[in-house]
Amino acid sequence: MKKNQNIDTPELSINGNIMTWQGSAIQLSNISSITAVELPLIPFPKWILLAFLPGAVLFKHVRIAALLCVAAAALYLLYWHHQNTVIKNAGKLLILMNAGATFSFYFRDNRFLNRVVSVLLAIIAEGIKEERNVKINMNHCTISGNAKVLNDIAV
């Protein structure tokens, strides 16, 4: 697996000491660290100001071309704003293994990501004291299963 490859999976499953997703698995006892990180925002496209310039210059002479330049720039600004809104709400779960491999899971909801981190930390801290099955549904932002830790941290 490539380092820092983002994994966008619909579900994570934890059975005992093993976490699985889409045909892959890791042993929870081999995890060195777990971190939730924010995604970097797309910087403001300064070049877009240049698209407004022809619109302002052409407005006196060719209004249709001027309006098209301004409309194209405005639409791109709306797209940029929407993308940054999506990115602000998202996050990544970084799992660093003892052997040095890094797994990066993409989450669409940052609040849900923080809940998942709490559950994983509690499961790892608890160790293998019980047989547990936990399903983390990334699409619907739900955590279910029979692990005692789910009741302890009120998921």
Side-chain angles (χ1 to χ4, degrees), residues 4 9 19 21 31 35 46 57 74 78 88 97 100 140 155:
N4 293 330
T9 182
M19 183 169 78
W21 69 93
I31 291 177
T35 307
K46 294 175 185 166
V57 171
L78 285 174
K88 281 180 189 175
M97 304 302 290
H140 300 293
V155 172

Side-chain angles (χ1 to χ4, degrees), residues 9-12 112 135-144:
T9 182
E11 183 175 270
L12 296 172
F112 180 63
K135 298 280 187 210
I136 300 171
N137 186 316
M138 314 265 252
N139 291 334
H140 300 293
C141 296
T142 58
I143 302 172
S144 60

Side-chain angles (χ1 to χ4, degrees), residues 16-119:
N17 189 36
I18 305 295
M19 183 169 78
T20 60
W21 69 93
Q22 296 178 337
S24 297
I26 58 174
Q27 191 171 352
L28 296 178
S29 58
N30 287 336
I31 291 177
S32 174
S33 70
I34 295 175
T35 307
V37 296
E38 295 178 356
L39 300 174
L41 296 177
I42 300 168
F44 181 79
K46 294 175 185 166
W47 61 266
I48 203 77
L49 299 175
L50 296 176
F52 282 109
L53 186 62
V57 171
L58 293 174
F59 192 73
K60 291 183 182 179
H61 307 292
V62 187
R63 290 188 183 197
I64 292 176
L67 290 175
L68 286 175
C69 286
V70 170
L75 284 174
Y76 186 81
L77 280 177
L78 285 174
Y79 171 76
W80 169 81
H81 181 267
H82 172 71
Q83 289 299 105
N84 273 341
T85 301
V86 169
I87 290 170
K88 281 180 189 175
N89 292 329
K92 282 196 299 188
L93 171 66
L94 296 179
I95 298 178
L96 178 64
M97 304 302 290
N98 290 336
T102 301
F103 295 92
S104 175
F105 294 90
Y106 174 77
F107 281 75
R108 289 170 186 80
D109 184 343
N110 212 9
R111 290 176 294 173
F112 180 63
L113 169 58
N114 291 328
R115 286 178 36 214
V116 170
V117 169
S118 296
V119 168

